[in-house]
Amino acid sequence: MPKDLRISIVQSILHWEQVDTNLEMFDAKLAPLKGQTDLIVLPEMFTTGFSMKAEVLAESMDGPTVHWMRAKAKALDTAVTGSLIIQENGRYYNRLIWVEADGRMATYDKRHLFTLAGEHQYYTAGQERLVVDYKGWKICPLVCYDLRFPVWSRNTVDYDLLIYVANFPARRSLAWKSLLQARAIENLAYTIGVNRVGSDENGIYYSGDTSLIDYEGNICYQKADEEAVYSLNLSYEAQQSFRQRYNFLADRD
């Protein structure tokens, strides 16, 4: 049976459209985690904030941020994930990057683009979910607006951990917190939502409310309005025991 998974979730302000400044900031925030965690989760578009300036800010998969993530995973001996703006084959993506200490990498392109902000006008939607097999855990990482669509999040592949990285505004914090709990309950899985804090250049305030919910829907951690780096062990054995006792997934559609 897989061991407990130690995860570290990073709730942070984001410096608007300042890639180098954000990477320097995260350098400092992540340094104490060296050798102390199995997985670091960063917010959506963690190098820029939720910007529609894809043509100006996009990087390639061989760009500085992906190199930074590779170096950080290796130096800290952990996996690192978060999303950023990527250009590939003439298209722009809000792409989640997953990097492990040994250099293994996987990607997921945000499926549900936030039409109310015009995200669909600048970015191309992804078509496939990503499920990562890591240290014996099956992990499904998604991005922000995906949270509102339970069919896309549905646990049809027996994943053990569901992750959302986000820039989810404070004015919709009730939806954020409620849906994270719902996703955990309906999928019998640990569910993590990592959100940013502070205001962006569009005057939108983010209260964070970064959360860790267990497979029963219990809130193990939730923090509003402040920057925070929080680490917690997830128990594979406890989750499996609960699933065996209350095997609701056997009756899923």
Side-chain angles (χ1 to χ4, degrees):
M1 181 175 291
K3 296 180 180 179
D4 289 2
L5 189 73
R6 186 161 182 81
I7 58 92
S8 298
I9 47 185
V10 184
Q11 177 165 286
S12 178
I13 63 167
L14 297 177
H15 299 280
W16 186 248
E17 298 176 349
Q18 299 178 49
V19 175
D20 291 344
T21 302
N22 284 311
L23 293 182
E24 289 176 7
M25 175 187 68
F26 284 117
D27 276 334
K29 283 182 166 63
L30 303 189
L33 297 175
K34 182 176 181 179
Q36 301 298 312
T37 191
D38 296 312
L39 171 62
I40 297 170
V41 186
L42 303 173
E44 177 185 24
M45 289 195 184
F46 69 91
T47 59
T48 59
F50 190 60
S51 174
M52 298 301 106
K53 293 183 181 177
E55 291 186 10
V56 176
L57 298 170
E59 301 182 26
S60 72
M61 289 298 293
D62 194 35
T65 299
V66 174
H67 278 282
W68 178 89
M69 293 180 76
R70 284 182 177 274
K72 198 59 56 181
K74 183 177 181 180
L76 300 179
D77 191 25
T78 187
V80 179
T81 193
S83 91
L84 61 145
I85 304 169
I86 291 290
Q87 180 181 15
E88 191 171 75
N89 299 323
R91 296 176 182 268
Y92 301 100
Y93 299 90
N94 184 347
R95 177 169 291 177
L96 179 137
I97 311 287
W98 174 284
V99 183
E100 297 177 19
D102 62 3
R104 188 174 76 126
M105 188 167 67
T107 64
Y108 163 72
D109 296 327
K110 185 178 182 181
R111 174 71 178 93
H112 297 92
L113 302 178
F114 190 50
T115 55
L116 273 70
E119 187 179 12
H120 63 299
Q121 298 175 15
Y122 302 94
Y123 298 93
T124 298
Q127 301 299 321
E128 296 182 4
R129 286 197 307 181
L130 170 67
V131 177
V132 178
D133 190 344
Y134 179 62
K135 293 183 179 292
W137 290 67
K138 294 177 73 172
I139 302 172
C140 179
L142 299 173
V143 181
C144 201
Y145 195 39
D146 288 331
L147 176 63
R148 286 187 175 268
F149 302 94
V151 172
W152 190 244
S153 302
R154 186 166 293 160
N155 195 358
T156 57
V157 293
D158 295 320
Y159 60 66
D160 309 300
L161 173 60
L162 181 62
I163 296 173
Y164 297 92
V165 301
N167 278 207
F168 215 98
R171 59 193 176 210
R172 289 188 288 278
S173 64
L174 176 62
W176 166 256
K177 291 182 285 188
S178 300
L179 292 174
L180 284 171
Q181 232 172 335
R183 296 295 88 84
I185 292 168
E186 69 198 11
N187 293 304
L188 297 186
Y190 285 110
T191 299
I192 293 171
V194 175
N195 196 19
R196 64 159 294 176
V197 289
S199 298
D200 66 19
E201 291 298 310
N202 295 317
I204 298 173
Y205 179 70
Y206 302 85
S207 56
D209 299 298
T210 289
S211 305
L212 195 160
I213 317 294
D214 76 8
Y215 41 85
E216 293 187 68
N218 298 305
I219 298 171
C220 303
Y221 174 81
Q222 196 165 76
K223 173 73 75 172
D225 300 312
E226 300 175 6
E227 291 190 293
V229 179
Y230 181 77
S231 299
L232 184 73
N233 287 352
L234 307 184
S235 172
Y236 187 93
E237 183 177 2
Q239 180 167 262
Q240 288 301 107
S241 177
F242 184 83
R243 286 178 171 180
Q244 290 168 9
R245 185 176 180 186
Y246 301 104
N247 191 16
F248 304 130
L249 291 176
D251 299 323
R252 63 196 163 197
D253 293 319

